[in-house]
Amino acid sequence: MASLILIGSLFGSGGLPTLVCVFACVVVAPSQVLAQSAGREPAGAQRACTCSDGRRFAIGASMFGKNSARILITGFHSKPSPSAGDNDSPPCSDLLALGQIVQLMQAPDGRPFLKRDNFKRGTISRICDTQITFIEPKKSYDFFADDGSALILSDDAGPQAAASTPPVEDIEQPVDLTGQDLLQLLPEKNAIGELRDTPFNEQDLKNGAYIIIRKRSKARVAESDDDSAPNVSQNRPREVTVPAGMLGRIEKRASFQSEAFWTTEILPDSAPRPFWSSLLLVAKTLVKQQEIFGKVVLPSSHIVEINHFFDQYGTDWTYFGDSTGEAASEQSSGTTRLPEIYSPSPLPLEKNVAEARKRHATEGIEKAAVGLRLVLKDRELLAKRTMLVLDEAAASGAETAPNLFRRQCFIGFDRLKDSQWEKSTRPHTLRITDADVKIFQPKDNEQIPSDFYAIDLQFTLQPDFDAGSIPLVCRFPLASIELELVDSAAHILSSKFEIRPRDRSEP
Amino acid sequence: MILSIGFRPGLVSLMWSTLALGALSANKALALDTARCTCADGSSVETGGISYSLESDRKKITRLEGTGNALDSRCKGIWVHSTRIDTRGTPYRFFLQRKTLGERRLSGCEDLDEKFVKRSKIYNFVFDSDSTSIREMQPADPQKTPHLEADPKANSNQNMWNAIIVDDEPLISDEEDEKRSRAEFRHEEFKRTSWVFARRDIRARHLGIRRDPDQSRHIVPMKKSRVVEAGQLGQIEAARMDRAIVRFYDGSRIETFGRAKNVFRRWYDETGGPYREVKDDLYTPVRAYIVEVALDDIIEINDYFDQRKTDRTRQ
């Protein structure tokens, strides 16, 4: 699941997704994204690694702790496995993880909002030697199926875990929030310390978790703990209408019927009023407003743990956080942050190489490339016997000059030896017999920064005719050393060659 | 220059040496025009070198004075010509005007506070030249790997938070460092805020920012696209090796490429209707749209002015 914000909505009116502008084209459906080039996995897709005991760790999987804190997998290092097929998940080595916390904050006007912070980023080393497990995200929320007044969500994977199976009892002691003002429960210093002793599990809905109401519905006002004496006075209603978008915090599990029910403290005034409700304010003196306050009992299907909401909308705060601190700064920055997203700083060379070693990228590239066969589309290229330069950006493989800042491939046809190849009538096939990853650092070139480098994928091509081997170099300026470079090389070469997989009969 | 004192006895020898010394001292004193000269730090400067700053403001080295011989000339004087790009008109309809700020002489490389480069990145490709296999490179210091810090068997979901070994790098990276790197690696003429125009009719895609499950953000092309007409002015939002995100401004097409046919529309645009100023480092969001284009499809505005020998996009 990934959020998507339309660029162009970043200036003008507001910008970041909120409950109000969700339907105003700021956030658009992922289906509007142009499909990635064929055969390539979109960035951030469900890439995963596995352990020999069957545990699987997918990027984006998370585990939940106290107060909606969570640990998320952001990447992994894997070990090369000779037995793994092309489509198998690689064996895990280390996990890259991000620890996030959610805090209840107050806007300048006193209204509450929730804010998520990235608190701890690091590595869980040798994950397969640990007893740690993660679950992959199963729920998919369709915030766009609007009924006109509410956020309607649907579970793609059927009833959520909490509903289909009895919830796992938290080991932590439930926090009794009865009678407390949640707005005063701002994070304490030791709250972070508590996370060290907090178990993390797959249950997102649990005691202390922050939630957002996803469906306008009538909810039963919570009764007291012992279920004997109602905790409501005679003049208070037994049922209240809770609008969509309200925030709350789970106090405890109330019951389990067809699905789990939760006693939830609703944060008053935590969502903007719907338009029609604002109009009714004019007649406030005539119509007695039904205030939402206190605790209500809500089914799992009517609430969403707040991290899912943040993930869906690609934001880290709820509505009233828009005018505060970091959020306001992000909004006012307009499009000035585009460069860092569009063209992030390239990895320093040492780090790039170290990361590649950790990921065993060279071995992966060699494994993916050796054996591939390049079938020439145009036999005349051989006759020219000059070095062929292909450019990723050049249209239909038009020949171009070597350029330091372009992704290009160089094929040494000028090194062809005299042979009988010209008499052959069948298509010429060149097989990759060797692959290496090299670092190109031009000397004495003042037109480029001193720390400029390029990654060279160097292949040896063996023709199916007797003409000696041909060198092929695909040069990627400032690229990360990763397996995807083989795809990029194939893409550049595809203008002049048909790329065929290795012959199965080959060793 | 060889001094021959003592080699040839007599008056001829003395005359030769006097001439040689005179020539040498004259060479030191006189700074001659040269196409290339060397700075004290070893870097070199060439005539035609260009430095771009924000909004396509440009400095160009027009003349160099150097001492010494043609092969090893020390920079003595650097003549820099500066121009600025101004917008004229209303946000609904405007044109660009290049203003010359004049030429000034810098007394040496010490006064050069910008890097002047040639635009071409063409080079001579040679197999196996200037490249090293990473198999031959020394591995990084193993001390930095976190594997030895704790027994992984003790880690479980009960103490998962502690199991994360924090990276050395801060969560918030050094922004100044990032800005420096990004600016350095980009094509000089396509910096953020540089003025460009579409060299032909382009079908360009709108863009979205996607946050992936790993919380990283990416820019992705959308299915929605539109035609950018040839001559449409825009400003670079962000650029990378071969593509750029450009904010194009409707109603500000270069006149030679065409003009609005609707007279009423033209009148309205000229008057400049009400609009709200927003905090932005680019010109204006009024009637602007942001799309991604190939760098080959756009031209930096100074190049247009140079080629057309003009300083305005509208006469």
Side-chain angles (χ1 to χ4, degrees), chain A residues 5 7 31-32 34 94 120 123 131 133 200 335 342 351 357 366 404 406 436 439 446-447 475, chain B residues 44 118 121 123 132-135 137 147 155 157 161 165 169 207 209 221 223 237 292 296:
Chain A
I5 300 172
I7 296 174
S31 60
Q32 293 301 308
L34 182 71
D94 303 328
K120 192 176 187 184
T123 307
Q131 299 165 56
T133 56
F200 282 74
T335 59
Y342 191 62
K351 193 173 178 186
R357 283 210 170 94
E366 190 175 5
L404 286 167
R406 287 179 178 270
D436 193 8
I439 308 297
E446 290 169 356
Q447 300 305 314
R475 181 160 288 171
Chain B
S44 64
K118 286 221 158 184
K121 303 296 179 211
Y123 69 111
T132 317
S133 171
I134 66 170
R135 288 174 182 149
M137 295 171 76
H147 289 252
N155 291 331
N157 288 50
W161 192 268
I165 299 161
E169 293 171 12
L207 302 164
I209 300 177
K223 286 179 181 168
E237 289 268 8
E292 186 185 38
D296 290 342

Side-chain angles (χ1 to χ4, degrees), chain A residues 2-7 11 28 31-34 43-44 59-60 63 70-72 74 94 99-100 116 118 120-123 126 129-134 171 195-196 198-200 311 314 316 335-336 339-343 345-346 351 357 362 366 387 402-406 410 412 415 435-443 446-447 458 475 478, chain B residues 36 42-44 115 117-118 121-123 125 127-135 137-140 146-147 152-153 155-158 160-167 169 171 178 181-182 184-185 187 192 205 207-215 217-223 237-245 247 279 281 285 290 292 296:
Chain A
S3 67
L4 193 66
I5 300 172
L6 186 69
I7 296 174
F11 55 66
V28 294
S31 60
Q32 293 301 308
V33 178
L34 182 71
I59 292 175
M63 294 297 261
R70 74 166 179 175
I71 295 174
L72 177 83
T74 58
D94 303 328
Q100 297 178 309
R116 182 167 72 180
N118 295 338
K120 192 176 187 184
R121 191 188 290 275
T123 307
R126 291 160 60 189
D129 292 342
T130 70
Q131 299 165 56
I132 291 171
T133 56
F134 270 85
I171 297 171
L195 288 171
R196 296 190 186 119
T198 301
F200 282 74
D311 290 346
D316 284 319
T335 59
T336 55
E340 66 190 73
I341 306 172
Y342 191 62
S343 54
S345 302
K351 193 173 178 186
R357 283 210 170 94
T362 312
E366 190 175 5
M387 186 174 69
N403 187 310
L404 286 167
F405 276 13
R406 287 179 178 270
F410 307 88
R415 298 193 178 188
D436 193 8
V437 180
K438 290 187 160 186
I439 308 297
F440 169 68
Q441 289 178 294
K443 295 186 181 77
E446 290 169 356
Q447 300 305 314
Q458 181 161 320
R475 181 160 288 171
L478 301 166
Chain B
R36 184 189 180 102
S43 62
S44 64
K115 189 174 183 188
V117 294
K118 286 221 158 184
K121 303 296 179 211
I122 304 296
Y123 69 111
F125 177 86
F127 283 106
D128 296 322
S129 172
D130 295 340
S131 64
T132 317
S133 171
I134 66 170
R135 288 174 182 149
M137 295 171 76
Q138 289 295 318
H147 289 252
K153 288 187 174 64
N155 291 331
S156 69
N157 288 50
Q158 296 296 317
M160 203 191 242
W161 192 268
N162 287 344
I164 303 174
I165 299 161
V166 179
D167 294 339
E169 293 171 12
L171 276 183
E178 283 196 4
S181 301
R182 279 197 305 274
E184 276 184 356
F185 287 121
H187 295 269
R192 179 175 168 84
R205 295 203 175 276
L207 302 164
I209 300 177
R210 184 175 68 187
R211 188 187 281 205
D212 283 335
D214 64 358
Q215 301 293 298
R217 294 190 292 177
H218 300 281
I219 290 176
V220 288
M222 313 287 290
K223 286 179 181 168
E237 289 268 8
R240 57 187 185 200
M241 296 289 180
D242 57 341
R243 302 188 74 74
I245 300 175
R247 180 190 295 189
K279 191 178 164 188
D281 62 338
I290 297 175
E292 186 185 38
D296 290 342

Side-chain angles (χ1 to χ4, degrees), chain A residues 1 137-141 154-158 160-161 204-205 308:
Chain A
M1 189 195 311
K138 290 177 184 170
K139 283 178 274 188
S140 174
Y141 302 104
S154 64
D155 288 353
D156 282 353
Q160 49 187 286
D204 49 358
L205 297 177
H308 301 303

Side-chain angles (χ1 to χ4, degrees), chain A residues 362-404:
Chain A
T362 312
E363 292 84 344
I365 287 169
E366 190 175 5
K367 191 181 161 200
V370 171
L372 289 179
R373 289 173 300 151
L374 280 57
V375 182
L376 261 173
K377 290 179 180 173
D378 179 9
R379 289 169 47 83
E380 296 302 313
L381 286 174
L382 287 179
K384 290 182 186 169
R385 296 181 71 171
T386 54
M387 186 174 69
L388 182 64
V389 184
L390 299 177
D391 193 308
E392 188 178 54
S396 64
E399 289 188 40
T400 179
N403 187 310
L404 286 167

Side-chain angles (χ1 to χ4, degrees), chain B residues 14 40 55 94 98 142 148 161 224 248 292-293:
Chain B
L14 186 63
E55 296 179 6
F94 65 90
R98 182 163 68 177
L148 303 175
W161 192 268
K224 185 184 172 190
F248 283 104
E292 186 185 38
V293 294

